[in-house]
Amino acid sequence: MENDKLLPVQMMQIISSTMMSVNILTIQRNLSAIAKEDAWISMILGIIIGVFSAILLYSLVRLNPGLDFAEIILHQGGNWVGRLLLIPITVYIIIDIGLSLKVFSFALKIFLLDRTPISVISLLLIIVIVSVVAKGITVIASVTDILYPFFLISLILLIAMSTLEFQKTNIMPIIYGNVPNILKGGLPAYGAISAFGSFSYVMKYVNEPKKVLKWFCIGFCISSILYILLTLATTLVFVPEFLQKLIFPTLFLSKAIEVGGSFFERLEAFMVLIWIPAVFTSVGVYTFASVKNLCKLFNIKPKLEKYVAYAHIPLLFAITQFTKSQIQVITFTDVSDSFAAVFGFGLVPLLLLLTIINRRRKAKNESKK
């Protein structure tokens, strides 16, 4: 894994896919319950918050060249304090991976594999993803390069076709008397897109780090625009009262499209298949980050990283079995996303401050010599 190398342009697909994973299937439900017809405005607010978070995280990574996020924590926090800071982020990522896999397993069972036990679906997903992760980030990125265009085009077509079902009255009145709820919805909206933070584990493998920013911004913008458009589309098609009752609004959006021809009779099943690349990339990169966290936390040698990856199979499977109902796993996912703000605006600024202090201290000591 340590010898993996990526091209700067590959960051675009990685960032975009990780942002548009499971959360884009469910976030509309949460936002409509909070902000009603103004859910799409809360989504815009969440993205604005995400921009500030991304600036902080990118600055942190740039000031610590050649280090991933786990290494930055240990380097700036020290051996003991650094490990104390690394423990919660390690636990958070592992739980988030398990919840994401369970959510997508439910989607596959409902819309595609209705006769297959959900435990079997979850286990197969885990085995396939972990097997690829064990081969390194280069393999993950290569698979993403192939699958990402199909996912992106299909998502754009879904939004375009849904315009046939738009009802403008569903978003009226705009903002009127709803500002507190819009602001309240900004936090879960930010949590939904916060997976862009995974780049902090990947950037050290890019062969030309100085060219990453452009592709990071493009990937971030693509996903952000699609989040806004999908939230707006689902609100325009379903009234907010009905939308907040749907577990997977984006997939039900494809089901609501009435287009002639037998090809479109199971459009939602086709969309689930198309979503596999995004889930693969997001869970794959997060599992890669989890492997790095555990290796640094327990001081495991790089040559043993693939075994740490395989150890995730029983661990993630246990997490997927902990949650039984759809509502329960969605609720846990919403809670997990809320912790993104704690890390994005708590841990990252702290590490950035420590980095600046340590750099100044080092420069001062060198000047004395």
Side-chain angles (χ1 to χ4, degrees), residues 133-365:
V133 171
K135 297 182 183 298
I137 191 64
T138 302
V139 176
I140 299 174
S142 298
V143 175
T144 303
D145 290 343
I146 298 171
L147 299 177
Y148 177 74
F150 297 100
F151 168 70
L152 183 62
I153 293 170
S154 300
L155 198 54
I156 293 172
L157 289 175
L158 172 64
I159 296 171
M161 289 189 294
S162 68
T163 58
L164 300 172
E165 307 296 329
F166 282 4
Q167 298 292 330
K168 294 181 181 179
T169 55
N170 288 354
I171 61 170
M172 299 295 180
I174 298 176
I175 302 179
Y176 182 75
N178 201 28
V179 173
N181 290 329
I182 293 174
L183 296 176
K184 185 179 178 182
L187 186 60
Y190 162 71
I193 68 165
S194 61
F196 65 79
S198 59
F199 91 93
S200 61
Y201 287 90
V202 178
M203 188 168 165
K204 67 173 283 188
Y205 300 100
V206 178
N207 56 12
E208 296 180 272
K210 293 182 179 180
K211 295 182 179 181
V212 165
L213 182 59
K214 177 179 72 173
W215 297 109
F216 173 85
C217 291
I218 292 174
F220 185 93
C221 289
I222 289 173
S223 295
S224 298
I225 292 170
L226 289 174
Y227 260 105
I228 295 170
L229 291 178
L230 268 176
T231 305
L232 183 59
T234 51
T235 308
L236 284 166
V237 173
F238 308 112
V239 293
E241 292 75 16
F242 181 68
L243 180 57
Q244 58 193 269
K245 296 178 182 179
L246 300 176
I247 300 296
F248 302 106
T250 300
L251 297 178
F252 274 99
L253 180 64
S254 61
K255 202 169 186 177
I257 298 172
E258 296 182 3
V259 183
S262 59
F263 176 78
F264 295 97
E265 289 180 0
R266 291 297 307 276
L267 184 58
E268 70 277 6
F270 175 72
M271 289 306 302
V272 172
L273 284 174
I274 290 299
W275 230 279
I276 291 176
V279 174
F280 167 83
T281 304
S282 178
V283 176
V285 173
Y286 259 51
T287 304
F288 178 82
S290 179
V291 171
K292 293 296 181 180
N293 285 341
L294 289 171
C295 287
K296 297 303 176 184
L297 185 62
F298 297 106
N299 200 24
I300 299 173
K301 296 180 180 179
K303 65 180 181 179
L304 300 176
E305 285 183 350
K306 66 176 181 179
Y307 300 109
V308 177
Y310 289 126
H312 277 71
I313 294 177
L315 182 60
L316 294 177
F317 184 69
I319 295 173
T320 61
Q321 297 310 295
F322 177 76
T323 51
K324 300 299 181 183
S325 69
Q326 299 172 32
I327 297 297
Q328 186 183 43
V329 71
I330 294 296
T331 301
F332 282 145
T333 301
D334 293 340
V335 173
S336 175
D337 287 342
S338 66
F339 280 99
V342 176
F343 295 118
F345 293 98
L347 180 59
V348 171
L350 174 61
L351 291 172
L352 189 58
L353 179 62
L354 288 174
T355 299
I356 294 172
I357 292 173
N358 290 335
R359 285 169 67 93
R360 288 182 176 178
R361 185 180 299 168
K362 183 180 179 181
K364 187 177 181 179
N365 292 335

Side-chain angles (χ1 to χ4, degrees), residues 73 77 80-89 347 350-351 354:
I73 293 176
W80 291 103
V81 175
R83 278 179 165 76
L84 288 176
L85 293 174
L86 185 57
I87 289 173
I89 193 72
L347 180 59
L350 174 61
L351 291 172
L354 288 174

